[in-house]
Every structure is written in structure tokens, then in C-alpha cells.
Amino acid sequence: MKVDGKHTRTIWVEADGWSVGIIDQTALPHRFTTVRLATLADVARAIATMQVRGAPLIGATAAYGVALALRADASDEALERACATLLATRPTAVNLKWALDETVAAVRNRPREERVAAAYRRAAEISDEDVAINQAIGRHGAKLIAAMAANKQPGAPMQVLTHCNAGWLATVDFGTALAPVYVAHDQGVALHVWVDETRPRNQGAALTAWELGQHGVPHTVIADNTGGHLMQHGMVDMVVVGADRVAANGDVCNKIGTYLKALAAKDNNVPFYVGLPSPTIDFSVSDGLTEVPIEQRGADEVATMTGRTADGRVETVRIVPEGSAVANYAFDVTPARLVTGLITERGIVAPRRAALAAAFVERVQGPSRSIAR
Ligand code: MRU
């Protein structure tokens, strides 16, 4: 991604050759700041507090977390403890477990003295693979956008609505749902993005708006409840969102509120697409609605809002009466029947059990290895 015009990934190995750098996403959009992770505890904290977030980036960060843990202790027991600690940080995005499985597979049968290097190697590969996958998602999705744009009045921009942040910041680079938007924009397709603010953490208002702005993509931030109205009035040509876990039957688990957008899209004949890398598919989950664990986070995220005051201070204020009960479900599941198509690194796949299994047959059969086409 470009930050002030300079290409920057969301995670990297620092100049010392072993510690890991990340962008602190909790400080955006008010401050661009980076954090150095040096221990397993640093990584677990960064994921749990959402300094890093977004399913693919959580996975890559966890892989580096294993490498850092093994630097301190390369025993089998330490490996197991590290995985358990990291797995407990966020329960919904399956990329976390996928990346841990991949990293464990890369180190498990090696002598202790080789384990650290093997873990760093696999973490770097996971990061690079994420970039390649997202570029492929971008290429496939951009063709879709260009085809839809061709049916519009000359000069009228494609109107795309997105929810949460499934852009560069949610991945190592390029994004999932937003990769097609960036590619289409770079190819000269006129487009405009409606950005759901995405309470309670405001990933849309804070992160999606910031990164679209960094790339020069025209966009407008809207309150979460606006999408239905826009769709009723013909102001949305397509919805594209990311995913934290896609079940074998094509059900899509994504940020809370996604389901309501899918319902509105269905009612208004607006195509509803999901951009996802194959590590987000969980073939062990047969039915998304009943089997995906939905993370519930702290009440403070709903009961408070954080923002910058006129004199430049970042402050958190309470917006809910003291004593009111608060619930904070972080994700919901959109049934496959509401999804028009899954934009994957292997092209647009129908959100159906057979189509998903055919597109990623090696994932159904055994350990994953994603190969972009
Ligand atoms: O809670 P988050 O911010 O980690 O949630 C993840 C997301 O950003 C979204 O749900 C996203 O659409 C999927 S991740 C590419």
C-alpha cells in the first residue's frame, strides 16, 4: 500500500533481522505509527487489541508470533503453548488457525536448531503468498467491475458499497474485497466507494476511508444504516465485502452488519460479492450459520467512541448511559443464498458446496497450499 506515496506493507521483519514491525491500526486515521513486536506476548497482545486485524493479516502475524516464541524456546512444548496462546486471541477468522497449522507443519519434524529459521521462512512465505493471492483477487474482481461499468451511462462512476475494512490494512498488501477496486481504479475505471462506518470499531470510517484516500479512490463514508436507502434509490451498483471465514457450503462469516447489507442487496437486486483468499475457506465447517464461533468483544467498544478533538487530542468518550447493558457481537453470517459470487484467487466461484470444493480440491483433501491462477 502507499502511505504518503511510499509503498509499505502492513507487516515486515525489522532491520535487526528478527523482530517484527507492524502498523498500529488502533492509531489510524489520526496518527500513522508503527510498533515493534519482539516476543510471543507482544504478538498475542497486538492481535487481541486489534493493533493488527483483518483475517489474512492476523494469520501472517501469528506465523511470526510462532517464530518469535521459538527464538526463546524451540521445544515441542513451547511450540504447543505458543499456538494455544495465539489461537485464543481471536476465535472467528480462520486464517489464524490456518497460518498456525502451516507454520507448525514447517517446523515440527525439524531438529530444534533449525526450527527458528524454518518458522521465519514459512511466515515470510505466508506473507508473500497473501500478496500474490490478493493481486489475483484484484485481477478477477476488476474484470467484473469493468464489465458492470460498461453497462452504465458513459462517464457515470461505478458505485461500490463496502463494509468494514477488507483492504490493504486487513492483509499483508492489496486487500481482499478492495483489491478489485484498486485494480479497476488503476485501470482507469471511474468508480466511487460508499464506505460503511462499521460500528463499533469503525474500521470503515477509520481504516477503509484512510487507505482509499491514500490511493486516491473517490469515496464517501456513510452511517451503517444508510446502505439500504442507497440501494432502494439505485445508488449502489455492487456490494463487495471481505470474509473472516467461509464455510464449505458457501456461508460467509464477516464483520457484524454484513448480513443486513446482503438482505438489502437481495431485496434491491444489487449484486453482493465477497472477496476472499482461499485460506479463509474452512472446509471443516459444513454450515456457517450454526458452526462458526462468533467472537464477542468487550462492552467498551460499543459504549464508547474514540476520536480527535478540534485541538488535536485523541479522546474516548462514553455514549451509553451508565448501567445500560451492552452486547458486542463482532461478526455475523450471511447465508450463501444471499451471495452472488465469491471472488477468489482462482476466479469467481459460486457460493455453493460443490463449486467451492471443485475450485479448491486440494484444500478439501488435506493441508492447504494456495496457488493463485
Ligand atoms: O475485527 P476485524 O477488524 O479483524 O474484522 C475483520 C475485518 O476486517 C472484516 O470482517 C473483513 O471484512 C474481513 S478480513 C479481510
Side-chain angles (χ1 to χ4, degrees):
M1 74 159 133
K2 280 186 232 151
V3 180
D4 295 331
K6 185 168 164 254
H7 186 256
T8 313
R9 279 189 178 187
T10 55
I11 189 164
W12 58 90
V13 174
E14 295 283 10
D16 58 19
W18 64 271
S19 64
V20 176
I22 56 161
I23 298 168
D24 180 358
Q25 300 195 23
T26 61
L28 289 172
H30 308 300
R31 212 155 45 94
F32 180 85
T33 167
T34 62
V35 172
R36 178 174 172 268
L37 309 175
T39 63
L40 169 66
D42 289 348
V43 171
R45 194 180 323 108
I47 297 174
T49 62
M50 294 173 65
Q51 285 181 311
V52 285
R53 42 146 300 283
L57 180 56
I58 289 170
T61 311
Y64 279 113
V66 173
L68 290 172
L70 292 175
R71 279 188 94 239
D73 180 349
S75 66
D76 283 352
E77 299 70 37
L79 180 61
E80 222 167 274
R81 272 199 309 274
C83 288
T85 301
L86 291 164
L87 203 53
T89 53
R90 306 266 334 251
T92 300
V94 76
N95 305 57
L96 174 57
K97 179 169 186 314
W98 174 86
L100 291 174
D101 288 348
E102 291 283 317
T103 314
V104 168
V107 306
R108 198 179 24 221
N109 296 324
R110 292 179 182 275
R112 282 189 186 196
E113 61 278 12
E114 290 179 12
R115 286 183 165 185
V116 174
Y120 274 104
R121 230 176 5 254
R122 189 65 194 114
E125 284 168 5
I126 286 171
S127 301
D128 291 344
E129 285 166 12
D130 181 59
V131 175
I133 286 172
N134 298 336
Q135 286 172 326
I137 291 172
R139 283 194 299 275
H140 294 301
K143 278 190 212 147
L144 199 65
I145 292 177
M148 293 173 79
N151 292 325
K152 289 192 60 107
Q153 300 281 356
M158 265 294 284
Q159 298 287 349
V160 179
L161 185 143
T162 193
H163 189 68
C164 196
N165 173 264
W168 290 322
L169 288 165
T171 64
V172 176
D173 205 349
F174 289 101
T176 53
L178 290 188
V181 167
Y182 289 125
V183 173
H185 172 82
D186 290 349
Q187 289 172 345
V189 176
L191 49 81
H192 165 265
V193 182
W194 296 108
V195 179
D196 280 354
E197 61 176 345
T198 319
R199 278 282 284 154
R201 296 284 300 215
N202 290 322
Q203 290 97 326
L207 305 178
T208 300
W210 180 79
E211 63 163 80
L212 288 173
Q214 290 290 323
H215 199 84
V217 178
H219 62 279
T220 303
V221 178
I222 49 176
D224 283 329
N225 300 323
T226 311
H229 169 78
L230 296 178
M231 290 186 224
Q232 284 176 321
H233 291 272
M235 295 164 78
V236 180
D237 296 310
M238 82 187 285
V239 179
V240 60
V241 299
D244 295 87
R245 195 183 301 218
V246 172
N249 68 346
D251 287 351
V252 173
C253 180
N254 191 50
K255 183 53 58 188
I256 192 79
T258 302
Y259 170 52
L260 291 176
K261 293 298 136 67
L263 284 174
K266 188 72 167 181
D267 196 42
N268 292 283
N269 291 318
V270 173
F272 184 95
Y273 284 95
V274 180
L276 69 138
S278 57
T280 299
I281 307 168
D282 186 351
F283 282 105
S284 76
V285 164
S286 175
D287 175 82
L289 205 50
T290 55
E291 294 173 41
V292 176
I294 301 295
E295 179 181 16
Q296 291 190 54
R297 296 182 58 88
D300 276 1
E301 292 183 354
V302 174
T304 64
M305 290 276 269
T306 300
R308 194 174 59 195
T309 60
D311 60 359
R313 284 171 294 119
V314 173
E315 290 208 342
T316 300
V317 294
R318 189 173 176 90
I319 59 167
V320 172
E322 297 288 349
S324 289
V326 170
N328 186 7
Y329 295 88
F331 300 94
D332 61 24
V333 175
T334 298
R337 68 187 153 76
L338 299 179
V339 177
T340 308
L342 303 170
I343 310 173
T344 76
E345 68 266 32
R346 295 186 179 173
I348 316 295
V349 176
R352 303 284 171 267
R353 196 179 294 276
L356 265 173
F360 296 99
V361 68
E362 79 286 6
R363 290 286 312 279
V364 185
Q365 285 166 352
S368 55
R369 195 49 67 93
S370 314
I371 299 158
R373 277 185 200 150

